[in-house]
Amino acid sequence: MSAPTHDCTSDPSPSTGTSQPDRERHTLLLIDPDSPPCKLVQSALERLGYAVTVRDNGVQAIGEFTSEEYQLVVTDLHLPDMGGLEVLRKVKHLSPDTPVMVLASDSEVDDVVQALRLGASDYLLKPIADEGVIDHAVTRIMEARDLAAENRKYREQLESRNRELNEHIELLQRDHEAGRQLQQHLLPRTPYEYPAGIKAEYRLLPSLYLSGDFIDYGLFGERFVAFYLVDVSGHGVSSALVTALIKHSIMHLLRERPLFSQLNTLDQDLTEILEMINRELLSTRLDKHASMFVGVVDSRARQLHYAVAGQVPMPVLVTSDGAEWLGGKGRPLGLFQHGGWEVRHCSLPASWRLVACSDGVLELLPGDLLQKEECLLQTIDRSRGDLGSLCAALKVDTAESFPDDITILTLRQDER
């Protein structure tokens, strides 16, 4: 036998208590309409600002339920056509986020426990004598629902931002990898031996994808091997771009006029390179400066011509007498209009090794600056200027990460 259906939908009437007229919500109320608690619950909900729809059986109520229409379900556990627990299951199946409050008698405590396990938000025990109990329960449920909705929205926004961030990171990684490959392509071959019997070799390890360190070397004519090691301030993309600028500027200067072709112009050529790079860094206004060691080996006269610009640590010459720092001074590039650079000369024995390092190598050693430099000199001396032995002693090839870019350049010539 089907019971009559009662629609008791009314506009919110904030005459007493706490009203919330901004809520355009409907409540599906599943309870026997002939029972006095029905009117009490309905009255309390309307006073809270809800429009109330009353249905007296579970089948019809479930058939009409949608999560968009109803934001709260209140169901009696004892219904004429199906159990209130079954109504709870079906509502939670259709809309897991819709809160459900159950009404039960004192004798249905076990069913209340089961309802809470199935996802009920709260319960009220009949008989209900005070509307304030209903007010408190419904308000608490809806505040929890709103908070959960805000949390879901925040979580969705956060997940969206994380996806966007991951996409940006992947794009940056691809760009950095492309930049790294390009920078590697600009570097010279290693090791490389010139017909003059001079062998050049290096190890360059960036702290990030791209390096602010850069080296290059080449044979000019039949007797001059020119080289440089530059260390640009900072790390990453901006510093790597400056190394590419330096490489491009030097190549452009070489196309304009022949460098390192005459013995009597070697010193002028070295100074011109430093002045040109200094002008480039100052004019670009990139807030970047660089240290540099640039030199030319005259294989015929066995002489080294070189200049330093803020180089730390200084280059080391290794001979049969041991390892010694090269002298020299000059300001870093990109900070001053005039750097006070000076070109120095050093006679080379029949067998020699030249070792130049970027300042990142000092980060691998203990102590203060003086102690680090002394330790580095001793390590170079023990390795006899051999790149592989030096890298092994400094643990360059086995370290997982570096606080700074690390570059070691070696040149050598053996007695024939």
Side-chain angles (χ1 to χ4, degrees):
M1 182 177 68
S2 67
T5 299
H6 298 266
D7 291 319
C8 301
T9 305
S10 61
D11 294 330
S13 178
S15 57
T16 59
T18 303
S19 64
Q20 299 178 9
D22 58 321
R23 296 189 188 220
E24 294 298 332
R25 294 174 173 172
H26 294 77
T27 298
L28 175 62
L29 180 62
L30 300 175
I31 194 169
D32 185 354
D34 294 330
S35 176
C38 173
K39 298 298 182 181
L40 183 65
V41 172
Q42 179 181 347
S43 174
L45 292 173
E46 289 176 345
R47 185 169 48 78
L48 287 173
Y50 292 96
V52 181
T53 300
V54 179
R55 296 290 179 264
D56 63 359
N57 66 87
V59 173
Q60 183 181 10
I62 293 300
E64 296 179 0
F65 171 78
T66 64
S67 59
E68 294 79 12
E69 181 72 12
Y70 300 106
Q71 285 73 47
L72 172 64
V73 173
V74 181
T75 180
D76 198 303
L77 289 181
H78 182 69
L79 298 175
D81 56 345
M82 68 169 65
L85 293 178
E86 184 62 21
V87 171
L88 173 60
R89 289 190 184 94
K90 291 182 179 297
V91 170
K92 286 298 179 180
H93 176 74
L94 294 171
S95 176
D97 296 328
T98 298
V100 179
M101 182 171 67
V102 298
L103 304 177
S105 62
D106 291 336
S107 61
E108 296 174 315
V109 175
D110 291 341
D111 288 339
V112 169
V113 174
Q114 181 65 14
L116 294 175
R117 291 175 178 172
L118 292 174
S121 299
D122 206 345
Y123 67 93
L124 293 176
L125 294 178
K126 299 181 295 182
I128 302 172
D130 184 3
E131 287 189 7
V133 176
I134 302 173
D135 293 354
H136 179 73
V138 172
T139 300
R140 184 175 64 248
I141 289 173
M142 297 311 294
E143 287 177 349
R145 175 189 177 279
D146 292 343
L147 179 60
E150 291 178 4
N151 288 339
R152 283 195 302 274
K153 183 178 180 180
Y154 174 76
R155 185 168 59 251
E156 291 170 357
Q157 292 175 344
L158 184 61
E159 291 173 352
S160 177
R161 295 287 179 85
N162 285 338
R163 286 193 297 270
E164 293 176 1
L165 180 60
N166 288 332
E167 291 173 358
H168 287 308
I169 290 175
E170 291 177 1
L171 179 61
L172 287 174
Q173 288 176 338
R174 290 194 296 269
D175 289 345
H176 285 169
E177 180 60 25
R180 187 187 70 83
Q181 293 181 7
L182 177 60
Q183 190 177 50
Q184 292 291 321
H185 180 74
L186 295 175
L187 289 166
R189 285 185 292 172
T190 181
Y192 192 83
E193 186 168 357
Y194 294 101
I198 297 175
K199 182 179 180 181
E201 192 173 4
Y202 66 88
R203 189 85 87 250
L204 191 154
L205 300 169
S207 59
L208 301 173
Y209 273 93
L210 299 170
S211 174
D213 292 354
F214 197 79
I215 61 117
D216 204 358
Y217 40 72
L219 178 66
F220 294 81
E222 297 180 354
R223 61 184 288 189
F224 301 118
V225 176
F227 60 88
Y228 67 84
L229 183 155
V230 64
D231 181 358
V232 178
S233 61
H235 308 279
V237 176
S238 60
S239 299
L241 288 175
V242 174
T243 67
L245 172 64
I246 291 173
K247 164 90 173 183
H248 170 77
S249 299
I250 292 176
M251 297 304 295
H252 181 73
L253 184 61
L254 287 170
R255 287 192 296 268
E256 285 188 341
R257 71 178 193 83
L259 299 177
F260 313 124
S261 59
Q262 301 293 328
L263 179 61
N264 60 352
T265 62
L266 290 182
D267 293 0
Q268 178 184 340
D269 295 341
L270 292 173
T271 302
E272 186 171 351
I273 285 179
L274 293 176
E275 291 175 345
M276 180 267 297
I277 296 175
N278 190 57
R279 288 195 303 270
E280 291 280 1
L281 292 180
L282 288 173
S283 64
T284 54
R285 302 182 183 278
L286 293 175
D287 194 27
K288 291 288 185 180
H289 63 275
S291 61
M292 191 171 189
F293 171 49
V294 57
V296 181
V297 175
D298 182 351
S299 60
R300 185 178 302 172
R302 289 192 177 276
Q303 191 171 46
L304 170 66
H305 302 245
Y306 71 92
V308 293
Q311 178 67 26
V312 177
M314 289 293 289
V316 176
L317 181 64
V318 183
T319 65
S320 58
D321 295 329
E324 293 184 357
W325 299 111
L326 292 180
K329 63 180 181 178
R331 293 173 175 175
L333 305 172
L335 294 177
F336 308 96
Q337 292 292 337
H338 304 285
W341 308 293
E342 58 182 22
V343 177
R344 293 205 173 191
H345 311 101
C346 178
S347 297
L348 299 172
S351 180
W352 56 270
R353 309 286 188 273
L354 180 64
V355 180
C357 305
S358 65
D359 61 1
V361 172
L362 298 176
E363 299 295 332
L364 304 175
L365 301 171
D368 57 27
L369 179 59
L370 293 178
Q371 293 170 329
K372 289 174 183 287
E373 290 182 331
E374 181 61 27
C375 182
L376 177 61
L377 184 64
Q378 294 176 5
T379 305
I380 293 174
D381 191 16
R382 288 192 296 268
S383 71
R384 304 305 301 158
D386 177 74
L387 180 63
S389 301
L390 179 57
C391 289
L394 295 172
K395 296 181 173 56
V396 168
D397 295 325
T398 56
E400 295 182 357
S401 61
F402 306 103
D404 195 1
D405 302 325
I406 291 179
T407 301
I408 303 175
L409 168 66
T410 64
L411 287 91
R412 60 186 294 176
Q413 188 176 29
D414 296 317
E415 184 176 7
R416 294 185 174 181

